[in-house]
Amino acid sequence: MNNVLPREFYLREAIEVAGDLLGKKLVTNIGNKITSGLIVETEAYAEWERGCHAFRGKTKRSATLFEEGGVAYVYLCYGVYKLFNVVTNVKGKGDGVLIRALQPLDGWEVMMKRSHSKNKITSGPGKLSLAMGIELKHNEISLQGNKIWIEEAAPIDAKDIQTTKRIGLGSAGDDAELLWRFIIKENEWVSGAR
DNA sequence: TACGTGATCACG
DNA sequence: GTGATCACGTAA
């Protein structure tokens, strides 16, 4: 594809990238199957706030976040779910954007087959990774490659974008109050509040 | 609202 | 080593 987002797109603050990712098209080519979806929900994470894995500095898990923007950060949550993030900002900054929900486009049947549930198979970070075939081994792979990438798509009207508090940050203190979750207003694929 | 689930991290 | 913690999803 020729409208893949360039590396430079990712070399910015997580908060900027998170907003701009809404309405873009996430595509995976895994196990010889193409699946794709429109990004309808994201969350930004920055190194200097408690919600971020990189807050305590570079560790085995968070090391990927410190890479140069434009690679995938995939990690296991609650021993069960693989959460897919996009690393942003320059090398050495531990910023990233969690992709929380998609509106399915191509490969519906493939996604249904991979999923355990029957509907809303890409609403929520754990389910989305399952449907798209994203695994832990895709941690650190480039988004300019041929496995996982993000393409330009029809632009979203600014008035259709809404910001809220991020989901599921129990012990982030005041940083849990940041309005760093971006959703497309009234899109049925946005994941529900907890 | 409760809890399964297992890697990871901050301790000792 | 070991125990607490967790960017979730589902059933109830």
Side-chain angles (χ1 to χ4, degrees):
Chain A
M1 286 293 182
N2 41 12
N3 46 348
V4 173
L5 296 180
R7 192 107 194 167
E8 297 77 51
F9 178 89
Y10 301 102
L11 302 183
R12 299 179 289 152
E13 301 293 318
I15 182 93
E16 296 178 40
V17 178
D20 287 349
L21 276 175
L22 285 183
K24 300 286 191 281
K25 184 179 176 182
L26 174 66
V27 190
T28 65
N29 179 5
I30 292 167
N32 263 333
K33 310 280 190 197
I34 298 267
T35 54
S36 72
L38 223 53
I39 298 173
V40 300
E41 177 177 354
T42 63
E43 279 178 10
Y45 289 88
E47 178 180 344
W48 49 264
E49 49 89 11
R50 284 194 66 83
C52 186
H53 288 162
F55 179 73
R56 290 164 223 280
K58 192 184 278 192
T59 63
K60 185 177 180 189
R61 180 175 66 171
S62 71
T64 309
L65 282 171
F66 290 87
E67 289 302 309
E68 183 173 76
V71 300
Y73 169 47
V74 186
Y75 79 97
L76 189 68
C77 185
Y78 297 105
V80 186
Y81 305 103
K82 295 122 190 165
L83 304 202
F84 172 69
N85 301 248
V86 167
V87 176
T88 75
N89 220 324
V90 296
K91 193 174 175 68
K93 292 269 196 178
D95 291 9
V97 175
L98 170 66
I99 309 298
R100 287 192 56 87
L102 303 173
Q103 174 178 327
L105 294 173
D106 309 307
W108 176 275
E109 291 184 5
V110 177
M111 292 193 265
M112 287 297 284
K113 201 161 189 176
R114 286 180 181 143
S115 300
H116 302 309
S117 48
K118 291 249 191 294
N119 58 344
K120 289 295 188 295
I121 54 178
T122 52
S123 294
K127 292 199 289 186
L128 147 183
S129 301
L130 186 61
M132 300 290 284
I134 296 172
E135 301 286 342
L136 296 184
K137 66 182 179 188
H138 299 119
N139 185 39
E140 232 171 342
I141 70 165
S142 167
L143 299 177
Q144 324 292 113
N146 61 359
K147 284 282 179 204
I148 306 177
W149 65 92
I150 302 177
E151 296 177 7
E152 194 59 62
I156 296 293
D157 198 320
K159 72 172 169 22
D160 292 328
I161 296 180
Q162 187 176 357
T163 60
T164 77
K165 294 185 212 175
R166 293 175 293 177
I167 308 276
L169 297 203
S171 60
D174 293 341
D175 294 329
E177 301 298 314
L178 294 167
L179 299 179
W180 280 14
R181 173 170 175 251
F182 297 80
I183 61 179
I184 295 184
K185 240 182 242 182
E186 294 175 16
N187 184 292
E188 62 169 325
W189 291 93
V190 170
S191 72
R194 294 190 67 76

